[in-house]
Amino acid sequence: MKIDEHKLRMVNRLSTGKSWYKPFQYKEDVDKPGDVRNILLVLATLIASVTFKAGVNPPGGVWQEGDHAGRAIYASNSAAYYVFLISNTLALATSILVIIPLTYKFPCHLEIVIATISMAVTYGSAVFAVTPHEIRFRYAIAAFAVPFILRCLIQLFKVLVFKNDHKSDPENGNNE
């Protein structure tokens, strides 16, 4: 009976325009940090896997013969290929940026970092191999760097802005 009530409430939410996803949202006071970390790791790993596969084996495949053999067919439309390459690379880099800190202090963390960096290098070399020379590969490198640069800038901003707040924080024993 309780399941039927739940289904009825869900149907009512969908039909009335009320938020159907609200029960699935993160709740800081309810959700356990370990569970949240595990979910984020699964999502980041899934995104890394899909983007890696798409970069190594681009949509449409590669030319099998002729002057362009081994090059991405999709790259014949350079504007669309740029969008794909930059978006895919940005997604891979961001998922890597999520995986590394979430696995901090895990057993074999160093090995996880080495494997992740190796995966990124493999991705880069595979994308470089299938990308025609006319396409500027530096855009993919820039897209890969963006999440890391943003994270560094955010951390620097936090240090500079909250540095003065931390000095005068009585909870931490600082009364300057």
Side-chain angles (χ1 to χ4, degrees):
M1 183 91 163
K2 206 168 202 177
I3 295 173
D4 292 331
E5 290 174 11
H6 179 69
K7 286 181 182 177
L8 183 61
R9 273 188 269 137
M10 192 60 76
V11 169
N12 284 340
R13 282 187 182 150
L14 290 172
S15 63
T16 60
K18 290 184 181 175
S19 175
W20 61 270
Y21 57 86
K22 199 141 186 115
F24 302 107
Q25 289 181 332
Y26 170 70
K27 296 174 190 76
E28 189 173 354
D29 55 335
V30 175
D31 295 326
K32 297 177 189 167
D35 291 343
V36 173
R37 183 192 65 226
N38 290 340
I39 290 168
L40 288 173
L41 272 172
V42 168
L43 290 173
T45 304
L46 177 65
I47 293 167
S49 300
V50 169
T51 55
F52 181 86
K53 174 76 171 138
V56 171
N57 187 13
V62 295
W63 295 105
Q64 298 299 311
E65 46 190 60
D67 294 338
H68 299 294
R71 302 293 181 183
I73 295 171
Y74 194 33
S76 58
N77 181 349
S78 63
Y81 189 72
Y82 275 126
V83 171
F84 161 75
L85 183 62
I86 291 169
S87 300
N88 195 59
T89 304
L90 191 59
L92 178 68
T94 305
S95 66
I96 287 172
L97 187 62
V98 170
I99 290 169
I100 298 297
L102 287 177
T103 58
Y104 183 68
K105 293 193 176 180
F106 270 29
C108 303
H109 178 70
L110 177 62
E111 290 80 358
I112 292 169
V113 171
I114 291 169
T116 307
I117 291 170
S118 298
M119 180 184 70
V121 170
T122 303
Y123 171 84
S125 65
V127 167
F128 185 74
V130 300
T131 300
H133 299 296
E134 305 85 52
I135 304 289
R136 292 184 179 87
F137 191 66
R138 66 178 168 249
Y139 295 129
I141 294 170
F144 193 85
V146 164
F148 297 95
I149 292 169
L150 283 175
R151 174 52 58 198
C152 289
L153 289 174
I154 289 168
Q155 290 302 114
L156 181 63
F157 177 76
K158 284 181 178 181
V159 166
L160 294 175
V161 169
F162 296 114
K163 181 176 145 185
N164 293 334
D165 289 346
H166 186 67
K167 284 183 180 177
S168 61
D169 187 4
E171 285 184 19
N172 291 326
N174 299 330
N175 293 328
E176 291 182 20

